[in-house]
Amino acid sequence: MLDTTAQQDTPSRLDPTRLQQLATEVYQSIGVPEQDAQLAADTLVQADLWGHQSHGLLRLAWYVARLKSGAMKAVTQTSLTVDAGAICVMDGHDGIGQVITRQAVDQAVARAKLHGVGVVSIRNSNHFGTCMYYTRIAAEQGCVMLLMSNAGPNMAPWGGLKKKIGTNPWSIAVPGGDYGPIVMDMANSGVARGKIYLANNRNEEIPPHWAVDAAGRPTTDPKAALEGFILPMAGHKGYVMGVMVDILSGVLSGSQFLDKVHGPYDPVNRSGAGHLMVALNVAAFQPLSEFHQKIDQYVRSLKDVPLAAGHEQVFYPGELEKQADAENRARGLALPADTVADVVRVAREAGVNSNLAQ
Amino acid sequence: MLDTTAQQDTPSRLDPTRLQQLATEVYQSIGVPEQDAQLAADTLVQADLWGHQSHGLLRLAWYVARLKSGAMKAVTQTSLTVDAGAICVMDGHDGIGQVITRQAVDQAVARAKLHGVGVVSIRNSNHFGTCMYYTRIAAEQGCVMLLMSNAGPNMAPWGGLKKKIGTNPWSIAVPGGDYGPIVMDMANSGVARGKIYLANNRNEEIPPHWAVDAAGRPTTDPKAALEGFILPMAGHKGYVMGVMVDILSGVLSGSQFLDKVHGPYDPVNRSGAGHLMVALNVAAFQPLSEFHQKIDQYVRSLKDVPLAAGHEQVFYPGELEKQADAENRARGLALPADTVADVVRVAREAGVNSNLAQ
């Protein structure tokens, strides 16, 4: 553990490149090939840069634990179980979710460029971090991309009291013009589980509509919430969406589903997570430049409205992340002291000199 | 108008076949070809059978007004602007949304059977009723289907005070085994606009989280809500989803988007609605019989949980509609008196003998 003085001294802003290099070295120290280690590290730092700290370096220790136990394999080797033109089924063989999913992006985009649409159904994968990391890459290449994943169970079916359904995130990214890609990324729970972990790490209370305790009572205690049930977003709608994402990710791919999927915070069990990725090549539908112009027009129209009290502007989907990324790259990342301490500990255990707590 | 006595005498249960025939004759009376009229009528009655009265015969008068004004063309003629293997772009040329979308289902399923995936991007269409009417048809043919549509604006962008975004519904249906298809169908507003119309027709108050009035204040008055802004579901998440559905439906297809789309309650303006339909042929991913078995196992697992207080069972997505359909087919449809009066009036104006108010 970092001592208290060191925590106090933690610089308020850390260099993201240095953090990415550190996480890369940690991954490499446990047998992850360099390129894969760089990717996995980048997904963590990028999540922090976007302001999604619940999916950032906070999770490095979890992934390391899974790699050390062998639940997630350090060397990722994918294969295609089905390889049929516009579609394929990819088997991740319990490799690193980030590496598997990044390969899937290339598969989906290549198939979309040939066939107008490319579909990759992915089995035996692992948690891959933030969905939008991958969908944005496709959008930069002129494709609309939809990506979804199932996850370890932490919500009960509507009306039930047993964890069966994951937060099951999904993202859509669309190529943009002057504004860059338009990006949606959300979970079907009222709140990402990672945000409750973060509140727990920070010893903060949570809003009462985020979760119920094990007996089904609303709670503001993140610990009780983690032992209970996260509530779906928008009531039964979030439940229904969670089920559909689980079926399309887990059942269609021939992977695991419902409570047979294990999450990234489980250090010993293979994940069984499945994903579904669909890429649409915009140029097959209309000239890409026209599409870019219309998206620019779209964003301008969205913003051209009278503002409600308490709002200074209308944001398009993904704009907040874009702004956070620019600011954090310029000023450095301000991470919670607990997260920094965790990273320092993991690095020390891996024999890597972190240089974060000088 | 039906007189009050007749309204009181409205039979509590009406024969759905008779209602479907009546609506068919109404459509035919204004120039809709018989087969198209039967389809359009069936989508309305089926919505009522599923218990979705906001999308049922309540809307017959709206569609008739649009047909009479020429905003929606009675004779639907579609063409393919792009016809390229797994994908196509269909132009509906302002025909009847239900007819266009039913044709798109056949296009998407046929392409999916050939290529594993079939995508139909639809422009210059009209409101097509309930999404799940179409996705279920594909599921019965062994395909997963995703369908989404944009719609006339009735929500403001998050933080804004001008209607820009429709409720923009979307549905996913998945082939099922013993239980039949698993079906999700939802709008991105907290409530379907039709439900506010229905409350207005019934002179009922609405919950305060459904909508705000024109000044942005929460309201329980359906009239004030119809003049104000419907709130998105799950706060900003519903806003973001509404935008993405609009872009994928309206921008990708080359149709209209944001406040340039006109809804079915607008009698004079062409709609400009666009849709996106994606079909995945399950058999291209895994044997369909195995998939059916897994879905059966999925539903049993969902239901195999302790129940929360106030719940008698866990429902899988689409089960409530399936139960309502079975009950309403057996017992007849119980429609609100105002809806029946509207149908009788529309029929009389069309010169069709309704026989509903004997």
Side-chain angles (χ1 to χ4, degrees):
Chain A
M1 276 290 175
L2 214 59
D3 67 40
T4 310
T5 316
Q7 280 194 39
Q8 299 293 337
D9 288 344
T10 297
S12 57
R13 298 280 174 175
L14 296 169
D15 175 10
T17 307
R18 187 172 157 199
L19 288 166
Q20 200 255 1
Q21 182 57 33
L22 175 60
T24 299
E25 288 174 29
V26 168
Y27 275 121
Q28 284 187 275
S29 76
I30 41 180
V32 178
E34 181 178 3
Q35 200 178 347
D36 295 355
Q38 283 176 345
L39 171 71
D42 189 53
T43 64
L44 293 172
V45 175
Q46 184 60 65
D48 280 318
L49 286 166
W50 283 326
H52 297 177
Q53 291 187 350
S54 58
H55 284 65
L57 285 160
L58 168 74
R59 298 195 168 203
L60 177 61
W62 304 357
Y63 290 127
V64 166
R66 290 183 58 72
L67 287 163
K68 282 186 177 169
S69 76
M72 181 162 77
K73 293 191 180 145
V75 179
T76 302
Q77 288 178 306
T78 62
S79 64
L80 296 184
T81 309
V82 173
D83 181 1
I87 73 153
C88 68
V89 177
M90 180 183 281
D91 193 323
H93 299 291
D94 301 321
I96 296 175
Q98 286 82 349
V99 178
I100 295 163
T101 309
R102 182 63 189 83
Q103 287 185 18
V105 173
D106 289 342
Q107 281 284 347
V109 169
R111 286 166 201 269
K113 298 284 181 183
L114 275 175
H115 302 282
V117 55
V119 178
V120 188
S121 177
I122 303 150
R123 63 170 69 154
N124 301 322
S125 184
N126 263 287
H127 191 275
F128 54 50
T130 304
C131 276
M132 67 181 274
Y133 185 89
Y134 310 95
T135 57
R136 275 183 67 97
I137 295 171
E140 301 277 9
Q141 297 176 53
C143 287
V144 170
M145 181 169 274
L146 165 70
L147 170 62
M148 54 181 67
S149 178
N150 61 5
N154 58 5
M155 293 194 292
W158 194 248
L161 281 178
K162 185 178 175 186
K163 287 182 195 176
K164 285 272 183 179
I165 301 164
T167 49
N168 297 357
W170 57 297
S171 168
I172 298 173
V174 167
D178 294 343
Y179 299 93
I182 313 297
V183 187
M184 181 203 89
D185 189 344
M186 68 176 62
N188 297 312
S189 53
V191 61
R193 191 175 177 82
K195 286 200 166 60
I196 301 184
Y197 279 106
L198 194 64
N200 196 34
N201 279 8
R202 290 174 168 176
N203 294 313
E204 290 172 359
E205 287 199 343
I206 59 171
H209 63 279
W210 280 12
V212 292
D213 66 15
R217 295 169 302 209
T219 181
T220 58
D221 174 8
K223 277 198 180 53
L226 291 170
E227 290 161 4
F229 304 96
I230 292 181
L231 290 172
M233 74 172 201
H236 70 283
K237 285 189 178 185
Y239 156 60
V240 168
M241 287 168 60
V243 167
M244 300 316 287
V245 170
D246 190 24
I247 289 175
L248 295 188
S249 302
V251 182
L252 185 65
S253 66
S255 208
Q256 297 299 323
F257 49 87
L258 286 172
D259 45 5
K260 287 173 288 185
V261 180
H262 295 275
Y265 36 84
D266 173 338
V268 293
N269 288 294
R270 64 179 290 268
S271 160
H275 324 308
L276 176 68
M277 182 181 278
V278 179
L280 301 174
N281 181 25
V282 169
F285 293 81
Q286 64 182 276
L288 185 59
S289 58
E290 283 182 24
F291 187 82
H292 282 161
Q293 285 167 20
K294 280 184 222 157
I295 293 294
D296 284 348
Q297 184 187 344
Y298 195 101
V299 171
R300 286 194 298 270
S301 180
L302 262 189
K303 289 176 173 289
D304 181 28
V305 292
L307 291 173
H311 290 262
E312 292 183 0
Q313 64 173 303
V314 163
F315 294 98
Y316 63 82
E319 188 174 10
L320 285 171
E321 286 83 358
K322 188 183 174 186
Q323 288 184 356
D325 181 83
E327 182 184 335
N328 287 324
R329 283 188 191 276
R331 300 182 56 205
L333 268 173
L335 296 179
D338 282 359
T339 299
V340 175
D342 249 17
V343 170
V344 169
R345 176 182 58 78
V346 170
R348 191 174 54 231
E349 288 171 8
V352 174
N353 180 11
S354 69
N355 278 337
L356 289 184
Q358 297 164 328
Chain B
M1 277 289 176
L2 213 59
D3 66 41
T4 310
T5 317
Q7 279 194 40
Q8 298 294 336
D9 288 343
T10 297
S12 58
R13 297 281 174 173
L14 296 169
D15 175 11
T17 308
R18 189 172 157 197
L19 289 165
Q20 200 257 0
Q21 182 56 32
L22 175 59
T24 299
E25 288 174 28
V26 169
Y27 276 121
Q28 284 186 276
S29 76
I30 41 180
V32 178
E34 182 178 1
Q35 200 179 347
D36 295 356
Q38 283 176 345
L39 171 70
D42 190 53
T43 64
L44 293 172
V45 176
Q46 184 62 64
D48 280 318
L49 286 166
W50 283 327
H52 298 175
Q53 291 187 351
S54 58
H55 284 65
L57 285 161
L58 168 73
R59 299 197 166 200
L60 178 61
W62 303 358
Y63 291 126
V64 166
R66 290 182 59 73
L67 287 163
K68 282 185 176 170
S69 77
M72 182 161 76
K73 293 191 180 144
V75 179
T76 303
Q77 287 177 308
T78 62
S79 64
L80 296 184
T81 308
V82 173
D83 181 1
I87 73 151
C88 67
V89 177
M90 180 183 281
D91 194 322
H93 299 292
D94 301 321
I96 296 175
Q98 287 80 352
V99 177
I100 295 163
T101 310
R102 183 63 189 82
Q103 287 184 20
V105 173
D106 289 343
Q107 282 284 347
V109 169
R111 286 166 201 269
K113 297 286 181 183
L114 276 174
H115 302 282
V117 55
V119 178
V120 188
S121 177
I122 304 150
R123 63 169 68 156
N124 301 322
S125 184
N126 264 287
H127 191 274
F128 55 50
T130 305
C131 277
M132 65 181 275
Y133 186 88
Y134 310 96
T135 56
R136 277 184 66 97
I137 294 171
E140 300 278 9
Q141 295 176 57
C143 288
V144 170
M145 181 169 274
L146 165 71
L147 170 63
M148 54 181 66
S149 178
N150 61 5
N154 58 6
M155 293 194 292
W158 194 249
L161 281 178
K162 185 178 176 187
K163 287 182 194 176
K164 285 272 183 179
I165 300 165
T167 49
N168 297 357
W170 57 297
S171 168
I172 298 172
V174 166
D178 294 343
Y179 299 94
I182 312 298
V183 186
M184 181 203 88
D185 189 345
M186 67 176 62
N188 297 312
S189 53
V191 61
R193 191 173 177 83
K195 286 200 166 61
I196 302 184
Y197 279 106
L198 194 64
N200 197 33
N201 278 8
R202 290 174 169 176
N203 295 312
E204 289 173 358
E205 288 198 340
I206 59 170
H209 63 278
W210 281 13
V212 291
D213 65 17
R217 295 168 303 210
T219 181
T220 58
D221 174 7
K223 276 197 181 53
L226 291 170
E227 290 161 5
F229 304 96
I230 293 180
L231 290 171
M233 73 172 203
H236 70 282
K237 285 190 179 185
Y239 156 61
V240 168
M241 287 168 60
V243 167
M244 301 314 289
V245 170
D246 191 23
I247 290 176
L248 296 187
S249 303
V251 182
L252 184 66
S253 67
S255 207
Q256 298 300 322
F257 49 88
L258 287 173
D259 45 4
K260 288 173 289 186
V261 180
H262 295 276
Y265 37 83
D266 173 338
V268 294
N269 289 294
R270 63 180 291 270
S271 161
H275 324 308
L276 176 67
M277 182 182 279
V278 178
L280 301 173
N281 180 26
V282 170
F285 294 81
Q286 65 181 275
L288 185 59
S289 59
E290 282 180 25
F291 186 82
H292 282 161
Q293 285 167 19
K294 280 184 222 159
I295 293 295
D296 285 347
Q297 182 189 344
Y298 195 101
V299 172
R300 286 194 298 269
S301 179
L302 263 189
K303 290 176 173 288
D304 182 27
V305 292
L307 291 172
H311 290 262
E312 292 183 0
Q313 63 174 302
V314 164
F315 294 98
Y316 63 83
E319 188 174 11
L320 286 170
E321 286 83 357
K322 187 182 175 187
Q323 288 184 355
D325 181 83
E327 182 183 334
N328 287 324
R329 284 189 190 276
R331 299 182 56 202
L333 268 173
L335 296 178
D338 281 358
T339 298
V340 175
D342 249 16
V343 170
V344 168
R345 176 182 59 77
V346 170
R348 190 174 55 232
E349 288 170 7
V352 174
N353 181 11
S354 69
N355 278 335
L356 289 184
Q358 296 163 330

